[in-house]
Amino acid sequence: MAYKIALIRACNPRVPYQVSMPPLGLGYIASVLKRDLRGVDLSFHRDVSEIVTLDPDCVFISSASENWPESVEYAAAIKARRDIPVVAGGMHITALPEALPEVMDIGCLGEGEDTALELVEVLRRHGRSASHLREVKGISFRNGAGAIEKTAPRPYIDPLDRLPFPDRELLGDQWATPREHETHLMSSRGCPYICHFCTATSWAKVRYFSPEYTVSEVEWILERHRPEWIYFFDDLFVGHRKRFREICDILRARGIHRRVRFRTYARVNLIDDELCTLMRDTSFHRVDLGIETHSQKVMDYYKKHGCTPEKNQRALDKLAEYGLSTGGNFIFGAPVETLEDMEETYQFIRRNMDKIERLSIGPLQAPPGSGVHREYTENGTIDNATFDWHRQINDGENFAIADDGYLLLNRLVTAEEFSRFVQKAFALQREINLRGELAERDRTMHRLHERLSTTRHELDTLRGSRAVQMGLRLRRLSRR
């Protein structure tokens, strides 16, 4: 009988970005288990009630910090039905392995593919035997006495090319962003920078899938899903310039850039003529910048090394010069940030409304694995054992600062002042994003018009050809 493994990602379906795209991390794990294990039956679920009904042999729950309470609820619901192994994975348990609750048996720390493979073999042969679990690198687990143990760290996967493509078919297509419109991929793991607010700093080094592997995955996506856009969801896809150049060369050599448009993240200090030319000529039409702030003081706090307000403006100007659609991500609420600093950034955004088509803003968070989290656990503001991780979520339409709402880390502004400012910034975000959507529709209509004109021209050319004229004469003669 097959060993049944259920996969689920903890999420809040009322928060749009959490249900916009499938979780590729679980997709990679599924692909590796399918490839390397016999006698396993995998399923992916978006509703924990499906898992309770399925009655699997083990469950893997992936969770970010903001959804950790949901993951604990999922585990409790599963355990109430049957005492099967429940494995937690994701950045939260990786950063806080000691946070494993009683309703979870094992934490998968760091990359999950090799760990899940070894773990499933142990679980189906030996169950939750502590002596056997101690041999599995890269986990935390509860032993027979109920104490949490942490095993030796697992080496990073290297080279990444030995992984199969993530199992997108298992993850399904019932997501807010239809995959025929946009499909995302990850061509690297980690980031070469160490921004204070980001959990990517928890990776000890950056690793990359090879250019050939990356382009092969693009081709795989195009063959099966034919999306309008492919979104390179790496922390910083263009950060390795030589590799990015090689990928662009292959995409153009195979004509792939004429079949799909691309979207990627970039950084203001990397924007120059060479990069813009590569992106423009290879159909990287959407570029999203992690600008964060227009205050040098706040940039320094965030450890945005190499970035300045002048480079912010230069990057926007340069991308506009090359006709690329630009998005900007901004954070408000740094501990060193005054209301005047926030207003400076707000006015920078307003001055560049003609250059920014997508705007994403958010109050500063302290996710485990980030430098901000370390800072605020060390000073006692955050107690990992009691903190309500729902407070990591910010809802622009219903933003609130209260005992059960957003945790304001800034002490230079009052809660009322910050709430008013954030609401103003969210209003600007709605305006800019609506303008961006209209601009994209105009470009789409222009492209359709050009295609129609080209098709008409081709038809007119065909009608004038001797072969077609002869064919029309023969058809008329045959009708007599």
Side-chain angles (χ1 to χ4, degrees):
M1 182 179 293
Y3 188 81
K4 292 191 292 185
I5 305 168
L7 309 175
I8 188 169
R9 179 179 66 177
C11 73
N12 182 344
R14 296 181 298 278
V15 179
Y17 72 85
Q18 294 189 20
V19 293
S20 62
M21 295 183 292
L24 293 186
L26 288 177
Y28 278 110
I29 289 174
S31 288
V32 169
L33 294 180
K34 283 184 177 181
R35 182 191 66 184
D36 296 342
L37 287 182
R38 293 182 179 179
V40 295
D41 181 10
L42 286 110
S43 58
F44 173 77
H45 306 270
R46 296 176 62 178
D47 190 330
V48 71
S49 64
E50 297 174 358
I51 295 178
V52 172
T53 303
L54 178 68
D55 200 21
D57 295 298
C58 107
V59 179
F60 282 76
I61 303 174
S62 176
S63 177
S65 293
E66 61 202 37
N67 298 119
W68 187 245
E70 279 84 4
S71 71
V72 176
E73 291 175 6
Y74 292 2
I78 293 164
K79 289 287 191 179
R81 174 66 181 265
R82 182 181 165 205
D83 185 20
I84 59 174
V86 174
V87 182
M91 182 52 68
H92 186 84
I93 193 65
T94 296
L96 302 175
E98 71 282 357
L100 193 69
E102 291 185 3
V103 290
M104 294 177 177
D105 302 282
I106 301 164
C108 183
L109 315 180
E111 290 176 304
E113 293 89 351
D114 288 351
T115 304
L117 182 63
E118 188 175 344
L119 193 53
V120 169
E121 287 281 44
V122 168
L123 290 174
R124 68 175 177 176
R125 291 182 181 180
H126 307 288
R128 284 161 280 186
S129 163
S131 61
H132 289 90
L133 288 175
R134 289 189 186 102
E135 300 301 314
V136 180
K137 293 181 179 179
I139 66 170
S140 61
F141 69 95
R142 287 190 174 277
N143 60 28
I148 296 175
E149 296 187 30
K150 181 180 175 182
T151 65
R154 181 173 293 275
Y156 287 127
I157 296 172
D158 196 12
L160 288 175
D161 281 15
R162 69 177 175 83
L163 294 174
F165 300 151
D167 191 340
R168 291 179 171 86
E169 305 308 315
L170 181 71
L171 300 177
D173 61 354
Q174 301 302 309
W175 301 93
T177 302
R179 60 187 179 191
E180 64 269 15
H181 171 64
E182 182 177 87
T183 300
H184 72 303
L185 64 81
M186 298 281 289
S187 79
S188 62
R189 295 183 177 181
C191 180
Y193 293 92
I194 54 168
C195 297
H196 197 45
F197 54 82
C198 185
T199 59
T201 57
S202 59
W203 297 99
K205 62 177 181 177
V206 189
R207 287 155 301 134
Y208 303 91
F209 290 95
S210 69
E212 183 60 44
Y213 179 105
T214 300
V215 175
S216 294
E217 185 171 359
V218 169
E219 292 177 315
W220 185 96
I221 291 170
L222 287 175
E223 288 172 6
R224 285 159 179 79
H225 305 310
R226 298 182 180 179
E228 299 174 50
W229 294 89
I230 290 180
Y231 191 172
F232 283 87
F233 212 64
D234 307 44
D235 290 304
L236 189 59
F237 178 56
V238 303
H240 190 317
R241 182 67 63 91
K242 179 176 181 293
R243 174 177 174 270
F244 180 63
R245 191 182 301 114
E246 291 175 2
I247 290 172
C248 288
D249 288 345
I250 299 173
L251 290 171
R252 291 197 306 275
R254 298 182 186 178
I256 296 171
H257 67 303
R258 291 190 290 271
R259 299 168 56 194
V260 68
R261 290 171 289 163
F262 300 106
R263 179 179 177 182
T264 186
Y265 288 108
R267 189 177 160 100
V268 297
N269 60 309
L270 301 181
I271 301 298
D272 56 25
D273 287 302
E274 184 201 23
L275 183 61
C276 288
T277 300
L278 281 170
M279 292 191 292
R280 181 197 62 194
D281 294 349
T282 320
S283 295
F284 280 86
H285 292 306
R286 288 182 181 172
V287 183
D288 295 303
L289 299 171
I291 300 175
E292 323 310 351
T293 179
H294 200 57
S295 161
Q296 187 64 57
K297 174 180 63 177
V298 181
M299 287 183 194
D300 293 342
Y301 172 77
Y302 287 150
K303 299 183 180 179
K304 297 284 293 184
H305 300 318
C307 298
T308 65
E310 293 74 24
K311 290 179 181 178
N312 284 350
Q313 190 63 59
R314 186 186 68 183
L316 292 179
D317 293 343
K318 187 65 67 176
L319 290 168
E321 176 187 338
Y322 280 81
L324 301 175
S325 172
T326 303
N329 298 335
F330 294 84
I331 301 173
F332 294 103
V336 300
E337 193 172 20
T338 64
L339 199 59
E340 290 73 24
D341 295 325
M342 298 179 203
E343 187 65 27
E344 180 182 3
T345 298
Y346 178 87
Q347 293 302 329
F348 167 76
I349 298 171
R350 288 204 68 89
R351 290 195 302 273
N352 288 281
M353 287 178 67
D354 60 328
K355 299 183 178 74
I356 299 174
E357 293 192 346
R358 292 172 305 283
L359 178 62
S360 176
I361 68 158
L364 178 64
Q365 309 283 355
S370 69
V372 175
H373 176 263
R374 288 190 293 274
E375 176 184 350
Y376 280 89
T377 52
E378 289 171 2
N379 70 20
T381 301
I382 294 176
D383 180 351
N384 292 323
T386 61
F387 188 72
D388 178 6
W389 297 104
H390 279 142
R391 300 178 75 179
Q392 291 289 321
I393 297 179
N394 67 81
D395 181 350
E397 301 300 323
N398 301 287
F399 181 78
I401 300 177
D403 291 339
D404 59 348
Y406 169 70
L407 174 65
L408 179 61
L409 302 175
N410 186 302
R411 295 294 180 264
L412 301 179
V413 297
T414 67
E416 292 74 20
E417 288 173 331
F418 189 69
S419 292
R420 284 197 300 270
F421 176 83
V422 169
Q423 289 294 349
K424 180 175 76 167
F426 276 125
L428 180 61
Q429 174 179 282
R430 289 191 292 272
E431 180 182 354
I432 286 178
N433 289 342
L434 178 58
R435 289 161 60 113
E437 289 174 11
L438 293 174
E440 181 58 35
R441 289 181 186 179
D442 287 343
R443 285 192 292 268
T444 299
M445 293 300 295
H446 180 70
R447 284 193 299 271
L448 291 174
H449 179 74
E450 286 185 334
R451 290 177 189 173
L452 181 60
S453 298
T454 300
T455 302
R456 284 174 174 168
H457 177 71
E458 291 172 348
L459 288 173
D460 290 341
T461 302
L462 278 172
R463 290 192 189 99
S465 70
R466 291 183 179 180
V468 171
Q469 292 292 334
M470 180 64 71
L472 291 172
R473 290 194 195 100
L474 289 173
R475 189 174 67 174
R476 286 195 294 269
L477 288 171
S478 67
R479 290 176 177 175
R480 292 178 181 175

